[in-house]
Amino acid sequence: MSKETQDRIERILAEHDAAKHSAEREHARSTLGQAQTNIASLQRFLGQAAEGVAWLWRLIGRPVTLFLLRALRFLFGWYLRLWGRLVTVTNQYGDRVFSYKRAGVMVLVTVIGLFMASVLAQLAWDAGWYAYNGRWEQVYLRSPQELQGHAGEDVHAVRGCEHSPGCTELDAVYYRVRFKLFNVLWSLWTHGSMFYPDLVAAAVPTETSYCRAHTYGIRKRFLTRHLNWHPDLLSVQCVPLERAPASQ
């Protein structure tokens, strides 16, 4: 092949590559090209996100689900065996027959047992939080308020500041005073009297006061804000700000 022919072939190939690159660039700049690019990016993102979810499922979701299913299967199987044993009686022929009376009692006992289990679970939850962060703390409180959205439950809100009489949202504190089994047991053990939320809230003056408060519970602002979980106020001793110690 002569040098002239080889140069012509290389020139034709270079012109072809340049034309192809120009066409691809124009296509990428066009509305259709941008749409194709965005769709490809979205598909890649969804694929990668699906792979991440699948990894989490294999690592955490599947083992936890299997454990819960096995636990429920065991408990339900145990309950069915207990039900079959307790709701039947032996008739005069020695056969086991169904007893409506026993079945009714079993249903009633089951409902009461589930209720008591929920109460004990709440007690264990509160006791765990009290063991973790129950303490006396010095805070500035004011304006107790009974929450109307909890009719018949005697729930009060107490707000204030953690380090100074005036504060921002970063220093604000917000407690709930409410009737709980743990709060009652704590009051009986500590004071020898019942726990009355309205009396605890009444100990906080309407004006800003320097208070010594016994509290426990969830204190993370994200949880208290979005899940409406607030620390509990068990007891409080307040002094109006003008009579508070000068060093505070």
Side-chain angles (χ1 to χ4, degrees), residues 141-144 156-160 173-177 201 204 233:
L141 301 178
R142 62 182 176 275
S143 305
H156 298 258
V158 177
R159 58 184 62 85
V173 292
Y174 190 92
Y175 302 113
R176 289 287 172 86
V177 189
V204 180
L233 179 63

Side-chain angles (χ1 to χ4, degrees), residues 75-223:
L75 292 175
F76 190 64
W78 172 83
Y79 181 79
L80 286 180
R81 290 191 297 271
L82 184 64
W83 174 276
R85 182 181 304 172
L86 296 181
V87 301
T88 57
V89 295
T90 304
N91 61 11
Q92 64 271 26
Y93 304 107
D95 300 323
R96 301 291 296 182
V97 295
F98 177 74
S99 170
Y100 294 97
K101 179 180 179 180
R102 286 197 171 197
V105 173
M106 187 67 175
V107 170
L108 180 61
V109 171
T110 300
V111 172
I112 295 176
L114 291 175
F115 172 76
M116 293 302 298
S118 66
V119 172
L120 293 177
Q122 179 67 52
L123 176 62
W125 171 267
D126 293 332
W129 278 107
Y130 183 84
Y132 175 66
N133 62 10
R135 64 177 185 262
W136 285 97
E137 52 186 335
Q138 310 294 336
V139 289
Y140 295 86
L141 301 178
R142 62 182 176 275
S143 305
Q145 177 185 4
E146 186 171 5
L147 299 181
Q148 300 300 323
H150 300 265
E153 297 183 10
D154 197 11
V155 178
H156 298 258
V158 177
R159 58 184 62 85
C161 302
E162 189 172 2
H163 298 108
S164 63
C167 60
T168 66
E169 69 278 4
L170 300 178
D171 194 47
V173 292
Y174 190 92
Y175 302 113
R176 289 287 172 86
V177 189
R178 48 197 162 186
F179 187 88
K180 289 182 176 181
L181 179 58
F182 177 82
N183 298 350
V184 172
L185 295 177
W186 181 90
S187 182
L188 290 173
W189 177 266
T190 306
H191 303 305
S193 61
M194 282 291 294
F195 180 83
Y196 297 105
D198 48 354
L199 296 182
V200 175
V204 180
T206 56
E207 69 273 13
T208 302
S209 302
Y210 182 71
C211 300
R212 184 170 179 263
H214 198 120
T215 65
Y216 76 95
I218 296 175
R219 303 177 190 270
K220 294 295 183 181
R221 295 180 184 275
F222 176 82
L223 296 177

Side-chain angles (χ1 to χ4, degrees), residues 226-242:
H226 294 280
L227 299 181
N228 200 29
W229 291 349
H230 300 276
D232 281 73
L233 179 63
L234 292 172
S235 181
V236 64
Q237 303 167 4
C238 292
V239 178
L241 203 57
E242 62 273 10

